Amino acid sequence: MENCKEGYAEAPFKHIYIEDDIDVGNLKAVERFRDAGIIRIKHYKDLFNRQRQSFVGQKASPNLIIARKHGKLIYEGSPVCQDFGNKHFYYTSCVMNCLYDCEYCYLRGMYPSANPTIFVNLEDIFDELDGLLKKHPVYLCVSYDTDLMAFEDLTGYVEKWCDFTASREDLTIEIRTKCARKDLWDRLTSCERVIFAYTISPQEIITKYEKGTPSLLMRAEAASVAMEHFPVRLCFDPMIFIKDWKDIYGKMFDEITEIIDIDRIKDFSVGSFRISSGFLKNMRRMMPDSEIAQYPFELMDGFYQYPKELADGMENYMSGLIREKKVDSEIFRP
Amino acid sequence: MILIITKDTEIGRSVKEHTETGNTGKVMLLFGEDISSEERFFEDGEMSSFIYLYHETGGEGGSESGVFRINRILDRYYPDLLLKSDLPETSSGDENVAEFYLKAAAKLPPHRIHILKVRGPVTDSAGKSITAYIGNVIAEGSEKEKRDIERSERDKKIRERAEKLAEEIHASESMKRQIEELVRYSRISGIDFDDMISELGREGLLPVADKKEGKKVLGELQRRICGSAV
Ligand code: SF4
């Protein structure tokens, strides 16, 4: 089960755990996984926080949790996250965990469970946000601990976030994604303050480390369509060290600039892989054979990162490629 | 070792009849009325999975008979159902089951705790269903055991290789840890560590006279393995 290859792994989404007081009738996810067995639970933490769960096993046989989130719902951005020049930078998690399976994903080190968990009380997040908006403008990342676009058929949250943001003029949101859907745009309320941020990786990295995600070509095509409706950010972040990284990233940039009109990109994010020390320790324990997790990183201010020379080399190279195109848009770096 | 506990003599007999619990050392079956939930059953450090089998004594609703996999206990505890199974599922409100679950959960991850309930008579077919489930637990456990052995052998080799170099460059404890990381990463990423050491030798960087020179060599090795020497 830690390793799904043997054929002992249970089918994905065979179970949906739903908190007792949530009405099953309106849930898109239940409709989507009609054959799943529904297990009623008191509190999602009884399940999500069980000790010693197998993150890797749950990635192979994920079960869905549907719950209500309590307490604080909007958090200030972490120092490793880019604030894109925004003073009031926050993030929120209306979904925890992801349908994709990137080997470098910090969620592996952060959460005790890999089971995707959808919080149904999006309205409570909106209320808390309204409170913040009374004090100052807000820049909010809504797709940090997940890929919200990939969940759209299960939640409809991207649509709701677009509607909400369009109606709050001091709110700007970022929806980060690797999802290549091109069929949503007509359904979404267009808004200049909803930024779709596409994580772009070379195909070699996608094949090796970003299991279940769309190809480079598909992502580039999706970004290029998205641009017709929303501001688009391209994120070359995290850049992953791999043999011949320069050639590989260079080739990737050539490929995407064939498809995406780079002049129309709102801005760029460039950053080499970095991760908090606690998360990496967990990941190393859970993935003893992972080239990414077992890389001999340097520890700096509580974060593991590539040796400075390498990190600078990778980020400078990527930024250089963008600048060569003589685009005016800003390049943000950690 | 997979620990199977049942207080129900009938289920115990049926399992014994169908499952090889004898001298393999892999499965321990405890059964009979006198089986209590004593701690000692869970003290075995080798326990890799736990299976609790019980016979419904009535009062839990539903009348369909057969073998069921328990997916919820007392509205509070949830075995992680990661192992493939076609058994129908149900919840359990039995305090005894919760007690066993908790004892097992103190030692094992939730996907290695399996609770099966027999409702109705312990028929031959029920026995076979249980046995098939146990068979899967055993087979999955064997795969894991194989992987664990391979990993521990590899770890041993990594430590030995790191110690050898550490000695050669008069490394401190923290340098030794760094070397170990480098050896591990090299193995995973397909870098020939020994070849790299030979290269350092050919370039006259090895052997070294003291720790100070050793540190320089370690820095150079790091640059080459970590890709920052480009
Ligand atoms: S897409 Fe993002 S959130 Fe999802 S697994 Fe990959 S890195 Fe993690």
Side-chain angles (χ1 to χ4, degrees):
Chain A
M1 285 171 290
E2 270 83 1
N3 183 339
C4 57
K5 284 179 208 140
E6 290 83 21
Y8 300 112
E10 191 55 281
F13 301 111
K14 192 175 169 188
H15 304 94
I16 304 182
Y17 296 88
I18 306 176
E19 279 183 347
D20 280 334
D21 63 343
I22 294 172
D23 179 11
V24 173
N26 308 319
L27 299 172
K28 279 176 174 251
V30 173
E31 222 171 90
R32 174 76 175 70
F33 298 115
R34 277 169 206 265
D35 294 336
I38 291 177
I39 303 172
R40 285 299 194 163
I41 54 174
K42 268 219 168 78
H43 195 292
Y44 80 92
K45 285 187 180 170
D46 290 340
L47 197 76
F48 197 81
N49 291 353
R50 287 171 299 188
Q51 281 181 13
R52 292 185 286 265
Q53 292 173 82
S54 167
F55 201 96
V56 178
Q58 290 178 347
K59 268 291 177 196
S61 308
N63 288 312
L64 202 59
I65 302 174
I66 300 181
R68 211 174 280 281
K69 197 167 191 185
H70 302 280
K72 201 168 153 57
L73 304 171
I74 296 172
Y75 317 96
E76 281 183 34
S78 121
V80 266
C81 305
Q82 295 192 16
D83 58 14
F84 297 94
N86 294 282
K87 194 170 161 213
H88 302 291
F89 164 52
Y90 295 87
Y91 72 96
T92 188
S93 299
C94 41
V95 174
M96 296 196 292
N97 279 320
C98 191
L99 296 175
Y100 300 141
D101 188 10
C102 304
E103 192 170 314
Y104 55 73
C105 182
Y106 66 91
L107 298 177
R108 286 170 175 262
M110 187 167 97
Y111 287 146
S113 167
N115 287 327
T117 303
I118 297 172
F119 294 112
V120 292
N121 51 330
L122 192 60
E123 299 299 328
D124 292 340
I125 298 181
F126 290 163
D127 285 348
E128 191 172 321
L129 193 48
D130 272 334
L132 269 180
L133 285 166
K134 277 188 192 129
K135 296 183 203 154
H136 49 65
V138 171
Y139 175 83
L140 183 73
C141 294
V142 301
S143 181
Y144 249 37
D145 299 335
T146 186
D147 190 314
L148 215 52
M149 277 282 274
F151 273 96
E152 190 56 5
D153 283 348
L154 303 184
T155 62
Y157 285 178
V158 172
E159 198 174 334
K160 288 190 175 151
W161 273 114
C162 288
D163 288 346
F164 183 79
T165 307
S167 67
R168 304 293 192 277
E169 60 183 24
D170 281 339
L171 175 64
T172 304
I173 66 166
E174 185 212 69
I175 300 177
R176 188 163 295 208
T177 189
K178 291 184 176 114
C179 181
R181 287 187 71 163
K182 288 187 280 188
D183 59 331
L184 286 173
W185 307 114
D186 293 336
R187 293 207 322 242
L188 304 179
T189 308
S190 275
C191 176
E192 275 306 300
R193 287 171 287 103
V194 176
I195 303 163
F196 279 86
Y198 284 87
T199 304
I200 304 289
S201 310
Q203 188 55 50
E204 288 81 348
I205 299 284
I206 295 173
T207 307
K208 212 168 165 194
Y209 301 122
E210 297 179 353
K211 209 158 98 193
T213 65
S215 67
L216 172 63
L217 188 72
M218 286 165 77
R219 282 184 219 178
E221 280 171 354
S224 126
V225 178
M227 228 155 41
E228 301 302 325
H229 307 264
F230 290 91
V232 166
R233 166 175 293 149
L234 292 188
C235 304
F236 304 105
D237 184 1
M239 291 181 75
I240 301 292
F241 171 70
I242 172 173
K243 193 169 166 273
D244 301 327
W245 62 267
K246 226 178 221 181
D247 295 343
I248 287 168
Y249 275 90
K251 187 166 69 94
M252 168 201 74
F253 195 69
D254 288 345
E255 280 166 17
I256 62 155
T257 45
E258 290 279 307
I259 299 167
I260 302 173
D261 181 357
I262 217 86
D263 288 324
R264 292 176 59 200
I265 294 297
K266 176 182 164 48
D267 54 31
F268 300 87
S269 154
V270 172
S272 53
F273 179 71
R274 61 219 175 270
I275 189 163
S276 100
S277 64
F279 296 170
L280 185 74
K281 274 181 195 139
N282 293 340
M283 286 164 76
R284 281 186 168 167
R285 211 175 311 122
M286 112 183 26
M287 299 185 292
D289 302 317
S290 162
E291 215 173 314
I292 294 192
Q294 303 299 337
Y295 181 93
F297 293 101
E298 281 179 2
L299 183 63
M300 220 182 292
D301 303 327
F303 290 91
Y304 278 108
Q305 40 203 277
Y306 291 133
K308 193 171 174 352
E309 210 178 331
L310 177 64
D312 286 349
M314 292 173 80
E315 290 168 18
N316 288 340
Y317 178 70
M318 198 66 231
S319 307
L321 291 175
I322 300 167
R323 283 208 191 90
E324 270 174 27
K325 294 281 173 193
K326 308 238 176 302
V327 288
D328 295 330
S329 324
E330 213 165 326
I331 302 171
F332 291 95
R333 284 175 59 170
Chain B
M1 189 270 300
I2 294 162
L3 174 64
I4 307 173
I5 289 186
T6 180
K7 288 186 182 181
D8 190 276
T9 325
E10 240 184 304
I11 296 178
R13 276 206 200 98
S14 175
V15 172
K16 200 159 192 194
E17 201 177 298
H18 294 100
T19 312
E20 180 52 72
T21 55
N23 300 324
T24 60
K26 286 200 173 141
V27 180
M28 177 157 84
L29 169 66
L30 301 171
F31 74 100
E33 286 294 338
D34 57 334
I35 296 299
S36 65
S37 52
E38 278 180 67
E39 298 287 343
R40 66 190 167 92
F41 298 131
F42 296 95
E43 285 310 314
D44 190 330
E46 295 298 307
M47 180 171 66
S48 60
S49 286
F50 171 70
I51 304 173
Y52 182 62
L53 308 167
Y54 75 107
H55 203 169
E56 185 172 273
T57 47
E60 285 197 34
S63 55
E64 206 184 318
S65 59
V67 181
F68 295 81
R69 175 156 76 157
I70 299 299
N71 56 26
R72 184 183 70 177
I73 306 155
L74 294 185
D75 296 344
R76 184 73 207 274
Y77 308 114
Y78 307 89
D80 204 355
L81 310 171
L82 297 184
L83 186 75
K84 194 174 181 158
S85 161
D86 292 329
L87 290 179
E89 292 173 15
T90 189
S91 60
S92 171
D94 189 324
E95 298 275 353
N96 254 314
V97 174
E99 200 182 319
F100 273 109
Y101 178 84
L102 279 175
K103 281 187 168 38
K107 305 275 173 193
L108 291 174
H111 63 285
R112 301 209 167 273
I113 304 172
H114 309 268
I115 319 263
L116 303 185
K117 164 165 91 173
V118 181
R119 191 190 281 153
V122 186
T123 57
D124 197 42
S125 127
K128 280 183 182 148
S129 294
I130 296 173
T131 309
Y133 191 94
I134 294 173
N136 269 353
V137 176
I138 295 172
E140 195 277 328
S142 308
E143 292 287 346
K144 183 183 179 293
E145 200 181 322
K146 216 168 86 193
R147 278 196 310 274
D148 287 350
I149 291 169
E150 276 167 19
R151 271 180 195 148
S152 93
E153 277 167 6
R154 192 194 61 191
D155 283 355
K156 191 168 161 245
K157 280 188 189 147
I158 289 171
R159 273 196 306 277
E160 284 169 1
R161 185 64 192 92
E163 263 162 35
K164 186 166 173 266
L165 181 66
E167 223 166 89
E168 281 166 14
I169 66 167
H170 312 280
S172 64
E173 274 308 308
S174 77
M175 286 164 74
K176 206 158 111 188
R177 274 197 299 276
Q178 277 173 285
I179 298 169
E180 207 174 301
E181 273 193 3
L182 291 172
V183 178
R184 180 180 303 278
Y185 178 69
S186 304
R187 294 221 167 198
I188 296 169
S189 59
I191 296 170
D192 191 331
F193 188 82
D194 291 325
D195 204 43
M196 221 163 240
I197 296 296
S198 309
E199 207 174 289
L200 291 175
R202 281 195 297 277
E203 290 170 22
L205 292 164
L206 275 172
V208 295
D210 53 24
K211 191 168 119 187
K212 200 173 158 202
E213 276 183 33
K215 252 188 180 162
K216 270 192 204 154
V217 168
L218 180 56
E220 185 51 30
L221 193 60
Q222 217 155 13
R223 269 166 45 81
R224 294 184 190 191
I225 291 176
C226 295
S228 45
V230 275

